[in-house]
Amino acid sequence: MSKKLITVMMTALIVIVVGGSVYHFKYGKTYYYGVVGKMDHSEEQGKGLPTSYYYKIKGYNKNGEKKLLTVGSFAGHKFVEGRFIKVGWSRAKKVNEYEQVSANQIPKEAWAKLKSEVPRDR
């Protein structure tokens, strides 16, 4: 192979590796687990669109690291206080998905931090 071809291939490889790393850093999801508390605030969307409801949720990832998340509901849905929630978060999109989960779906390190926040009647 010629030197020029090798240089082009190495440059392309470097661009792909760096680009993939930046993409993963910005868009790679981390999942946080928390307990739904009281609604923080709501926002009227107007023009026939449903109201958005927002909750502050203290979430823990699979390593037990904490992050305070503001989670807005979709389609006018209100969360049920005391339920467990799994929240997908990325640096670029912030909170981009959520779903209700059961206690046995929460990773051990997250559960170790979260169990002190679970309401006593659960």
Side-chain angles (χ1 to χ4, degrees), residues 82-96:
R83 298 278 172 93
F84 298 113
I85 188 168
K86 175 182 174 182
V87 179
W89 184 89
S90 72
R91 283 178 176 79
K93 294 186 175 184
K94 307 302 178 207
V95 171
N96 54 26

Side-chain angles (χ1 to χ4, degrees), residues 29-56:
K29 278 187 206 159
T30 301
Y31 291 100
Y32 291 88
Y33 300 83
V35 178
V36 175
K38 294 194 182 305
M39 182 183 10
D40 186 60
H41 68 280
S42 62
E43 290 180 7
E44 294 290 329
Q45 301 302 312
K47 297 183 184 176
L49 298 172
T51 300
S52 293
Y53 301 99
Y54 292 89
Y55 301 81
K56 298 273 188 205

Side-chain angles (χ1 to χ4, degrees), residues 19-119:
S21 296
V22 168
Y23 180 84
H24 181 71
F25 178 77
K26 291 185 80 165
Y27 294 96
K29 278 187 206 159
T30 301
Y31 291 100
Y32 291 88
Y33 300 83
V35 178
V36 175
K38 294 194 182 305
M39 182 183 10
D40 186 60
H41 68 280
S42 62
E43 290 180 7
E44 294 290 329
Q45 301 302 312
K47 297 183 184 176
L49 298 172
T51 300
S52 293
Y53 301 99
Y54 292 89
Y55 301 81
K56 298 273 188 205
I57 296 178
K58 211 179 317 179
Y60 299 92
N61 67 13
K62 66 181 181 179
N63 300 320
E65 297 164 340
K66 182 170 100 173
K67 178 172 278 305
L68 183 60
L69 305 160
T70 301
V71 182
S73 65
F74 299 121
H77 175 76
K78 288 185 180 179
F79 296 166
V80 178
E81 193 172 337
R83 298 278 172 93
F84 298 113
I85 188 168
K86 175 182 174 182
V87 179
W89 184 89
S90 72
R91 283 178 176 79
K93 294 186 175 184
K94 307 302 178 207
V95 171
N96 54 26
E97 70 177 271
Y98 62 82
E99 68 177 300
Q100 181 178 319
V101 294
S102 61
N104 63 355
Q105 293 175 290
I106 299 173
K108 288 180 183 178
E109 294 294 322
W111 178 250
K113 302 284 178 116
L114 190 59
K115 66 184 175 185
S116 66
E117 297 174 27
V118 177

